[in-house]
Amino acid sequence: MNDTRDQITLPTSVAGSGTLDRLIETARDYAEQSASENTLKAYATDWAHFTRWCRLQGADPLPPSSEMIGLYLADLAAPGGKAPSQSASRPLSVSSIDRRLSGLAWNYTQRGFALDRKNRHIATVLAGIKRKHARPPVQKEAILRDDILAMAATLGFDLRGLRDRAILLLGYAGGLRRSEIVSLDVHKDDTPDSGGWIDILDEGALLTLNAKTGWREVEIGRGSSDLTCPVHALEQWLHFARIDFGPVFTRTSRDGKEALETRLSDKHVARLIKQTVLAAGIRSELPEKDRLALFSGHSLRAGLASSAEVDERYIQKHLGHASAEMTRRYQRRRDRFRVNLTKAAGL
């Protein structure tokens, strides 16, 4: 992100030198790793939208004005000051507005300013937006055991099929985010953009991940048969693709006969899930558009959390959640009415 690089410079009182110039470049490189590429792109878009809005209002985005930001949030919720049904512009959801505010706070920090989100001009407007417009969160549907097996069965046994089967089974058994799947390397420090590495053992695969919540280890045991075993699927892909260094999951040639060196994008995982959901006939009673909207990369994590009949604390550790409450959000209907407080209270 160019704004981040521009902000890291020497103090005016310090004379430059070759060594210090190199350290500036190193610091800028580290700064660019402070958030994921997708997050940085989103923050850049947030800032561009806000600065354009300020120009249209005849205002300057710098320094931060809590009053103007409060008005900006109100305009996102009800563009033009009109009710959403009357507005030409589409109002943003509460979660999108909250995310947009986080983007502004990050951008101001990069420019040496502090944005006080608790300032009354911001906090009260945001609280009012949440009270009036908040809706229950829309969750993607979980991919359950029979679903993942049906999806994997739609794939062939050429290189591309071996790769995609390993992605689905590993992502499901590991409860992995799509970014975690594609960021894996074969070994530690194989590539500068690595998000972790794998160790294949007799008992299974040990994944060491530099994830959203920090470093964590994920144990993926071997399955009950080769057809459903994520570790076997991974071994098959690595063997036939002749991958022993660098990214675990790479693109293939157009004819599907050769593995290339280029790391897969996390968007491939999302496309793969939607493609195989359709091919497997999952939720076939719905129109195709609705079926596609139900599933995403997070459906793999939700599927593991909903299907694994083990103590909740093991699922929480496996998914890398800081709280049990977050884990329960992924457990689609699994725990409903497991504890009946009505009967426990004597009714």
Side-chain angles (χ1 to χ4, degrees):
M1 187 174 178
N2 291 332
D3 288 332
T4 301
R5 298 186 70 82
D6 292 342
Q7 292 302 316
I8 298 179
T9 59
L10 282 174
T12 55
S13 59
V14 177
S17 68
T19 300
L20 289 177
D21 288 342
R22 287 192 294 273
L23 285 175
I24 291 173
E25 286 304 310
T26 301
R28 286 172 175 169
D29 289 339
Y30 280 130
E32 289 183 346
Q33 298 298 318
S34 63
S36 71
E37 182 180 353
N38 288 340
T39 299
L40 292 177
K41 286 180 180 178
Y43 286 167
T45 301
D46 293 341
W47 184 250
H49 186 275
F50 176 64
T51 54
R52 180 178 180 275
W53 181 88
C54 286
R55 285 197 303 271
L56 292 175
Q57 315 308 318
D60 194 327
L62 296 172
S65 164
S66 299
E67 293 86 350
M68 287 303 295
I69 292 173
L71 295 178
Y72 174 65
L73 299 180
D75 198 33
L76 295 177
K82 301 176 181 179
S85 60
Q86 301 173 323
S87 174
S89 301
R90 186 178 180 182
L92 294 187
S93 67
V94 172
S95 60
S96 295
I97 293 172
D98 217 2
R99 208 295 315 283
R100 189 72 63 87
L101 182 57
S102 297
L104 294 186
W106 187 90
N107 275 284
Y108 276 122
T109 299
Q110 304 312 305
R111 290 162 175 79
F113 297 99
L115 177 62
D116 182 10
R117 295 182 55 153
K118 295 182 179 179
N119 180 283
R120 64 185 179 88
H121 295 287
I122 297 175
T124 55
V125 170
L126 187 60
I129 290 171
K130 290 181 176 180
R131 183 176 179 84
K132 184 172 183 179
H133 300 298
R135 298 288 184 273
V138 178
Q139 294 182 316
K140 295 298 181 181
E141 189 147 324
I143 291 173
L144 304 178
R145 174 190 173 275
D146 290 345
D147 298 331
I148 197 70
L149 295 182
M151 291 162 65
T154 67
L155 299 170
F157 288 90
D158 57 355
L159 269 186
R160 202 170 283 143
L162 292 176
R163 178 197 66 192
D164 289 347
R165 185 177 289 101
I167 287 174
L168 288 179
L169 293 177
L170 198 73
Y172 180 81
L176 305 177
R177 300 176 179 89
R178 63 186 193 182
S179 59
E180 294 171 343
I181 297 171
V182 299
S183 68
L184 283 169
D185 277 0
V186 178
H187 309 105
K188 182 181 179 182
D189 299 328
D190 275 358
T191 63
D193 60 341
S194 170
W197 65 93
I198 58 174
D199 291 300
I200 299 179
L201 311 170
D202 291 341
E203 301 87 350
L206 179 65
L207 278 54
T208 305
L209 300 171
N210 186 9
K212 186 177 180 180
T213 53
W215 284 99
R216 82 178 196 275
E217 289 186 344
V218 175
E219 299 173 5
I220 300 180
R222 293 187 181 273
S224 54
S225 77
D226 286 348
L227 285 177
T228 63
C229 176
V231 182
H232 179 75
L234 176 63
E235 289 173 322
Q236 290 287 97
W237 157 247
L238 293 176
H239 173 73
F240 288 103
R242 299 179 181 178
I243 293 176
D244 57 10
F245 184 86
V248 170
F249 295 111
T250 66
R251 297 175 59 188
T252 60
S253 58
R254 287 192 175 184
D255 59 10
K257 295 181 179 180
E258 181 182 0
L260 307 178
E261 295 181 359
T262 309
R263 187 188 301 276
L264 275 180
S265 162
D266 65 341
K267 293 179 181 178
H268 174 80
V269 180
R271 289 193 296 265
L272 172 63
I273 289 170
K274 293 178 183 294
Q275 165 202 324
T276 52
V277 160
L278 290 181
I282 297 170
R283 297 300 302 272
S284 58
E285 74 278 7
L286 298 175
E288 181 176 308
K289 181 180 178 182
D290 294 341
R291 293 165 67 195
L292 290 174
L294 280 176
F295 298 93
S296 73
H298 258 56
S299 296
L300 295 177
R301 284 168 67 78
L304 176 79
S306 303
S307 300
E309 293 293 336
V310 296
D311 192 291
E312 188 177 82
R313 59 184 172 171
Y314 295 115
I315 299 175
Q316 180 182 340
K317 179 178 181 295
H318 199 74
L319 297 183
H321 288 155
S323 68
E325 179 59 32
M326 178 59 73
T327 302
R328 292 187 192 109
R329 294 182 191 178
Y330 283 77
Q331 293 174 314
R332 308 290 193 259
R333 301 182 296 276
R334 177 181 166 224
D335 287 325
R336 289 181 181 173
F337 304 111
R338 177 174 290 189
V339 176
N340 189 330
L341 292 181
T342 305
K343 289 183 178 180
L347 299 179

